[in-house]
Amino acid sequence: MAPTRFNAKPGDLIEISRGIYQHWAFYIGGEEVVHLTTPNGDSNSSGSSLMVLDSPIGKVKRENIRDVVCYDEFKINNLLDDQPRESYIIVKEACSMVGLELPYSIMKRNCEHFVTDLRYDKSESRQVTTAAEIGGATVGILVLGGLGALVASWLKDYNKEERREERREPRREPRRHYNWQQ
């Protein structure tokens, strides 16, 4: 939904849904945001979401929120709001960073890290944490599945060996022979 009227205050974090990921911006007032983008851009949803992944450099931009959000859904999400910094300080700091090129990494220095560092003086990305937890759980399941298959294979081989041993040992009771011609 394109922003028409919303009740963001300077210093609020804006979460913009881009489909497979969320883009984050920092609201500075006057319907403007500061955000970290890649050179290929995440200024709006028309950019390819995979373009975000291919650059080691990001650029801090100041843009109208309508241009950044376009038709994507967005919301105010001050996700770590136990101790935000003073809004006038962080707005001033955000504005002073406009135009800077900063290191960019999808795992360690993305747009969410950028805005949480501004607001809380603590760089964090819940998207990365969630992805890592899901990835870790998947790896854990695969490892457990692999170990289970290994144990099952070992038990199967062990049982085969036991059966072979049983066949090699002489029977303890004599076999009964039947005379079929009677």
Side-chain angles (χ1 to χ4, degrees):
M1 85 185 169
T4 50
R5 242 182 69 207
F6 63 104
N7 58 351
K9 297 181 290 289
D12 282 342
L13 304 184
I14 308 297
E15 179 183 0
I16 305 159
S17 177
R18 295 285 198 241
I20 62 170
Y21 71 99
Q22 285 73 44
H23 181 63
W24 289 80
F26 183 81
Y27 187 70
I28 59 171
E31 293 194 11
E32 289 189 311
V33 294
V34 172
H35 60 127
L36 180 65
T37 69
T38 59
N40 295 327
D42 191 324
S43 293
N44 59 47
S45 60
S46 63
S48 168
S49 48
L50 294 178
M51 294 295 195
V52 171
L53 304 175
D54 74 350
S55 179
I57 300 294
K59 188 168 186 175
V60 180
K61 293 184 180 180
R62 178 179 180 166
E63 297 183 89
N64 185 290
I65 190 164
R66 295 174 195 279
D67 295 334
V68 177
V69 172
C70 289
Y71 297 102
D72 291 331
E73 292 185 21
F74 74 101
K75 64 183 177 181
I76 297 166
N77 186 353
N78 298 321
L79 62 151
L80 303 173
D81 239 11
D82 52 345
Q83 293 187 338
R85 296 168 59 211
E86 292 292 326
S87 62
Y88 72 92
I89 293 171
I90 49 182
V91 168
K92 183 178 178 181
E93 187 177 325
C95 291
S96 73
M97 297 176 79
V98 171
L100 293 178
E101 289 189 344
L102 301 174
Y104 182 89
S105 163
I106 194 71
M107 298 300 288
K108 296 179 183 175
R109 291 190 170 124
N110 65 35
C111 57
E112 188 177 0
H113 289 105
F114 175 74
V115 298
T116 57
D117 191 37
L118 280 170
R119 185 167 172 90
Y120 306 108
D121 205 19
K122 178 181 179 183
S123 180
E124 184 173 315
S125 175
R126 297 253 169 112
Q127 292 179 89
V128 170
T129 303
T130 301
E133 288 170 354
I134 290 169
T138 302
V139 167
I141 288 168
L142 291 174
V143 166
L144 286 176
L147 285 174
L150 185 64
V151 168
S153 173
W154 178 79
L155 286 173
K156 182 179 174 185
D157 288 345
Y158 180 77
N159 286 339
K160 278 184 184 175
E161 191 60 37
E162 269 190 354
R163 286 193 300 268
R164 279 191 203 125
E165 289 298 320
E166 285 175 1
R167 279 188 245 134
R168 288 185 197 141
E169 290 180 12
R171 293 186 176 239
R172 299 191 196 290
E173 56 189 57
R175 285 184 109 171
R176 293 186 183 178
H177 295 281
Y178 295 98
N179 187 352
W180 293 101
Q181 296 182 1
Q182 286 182 352

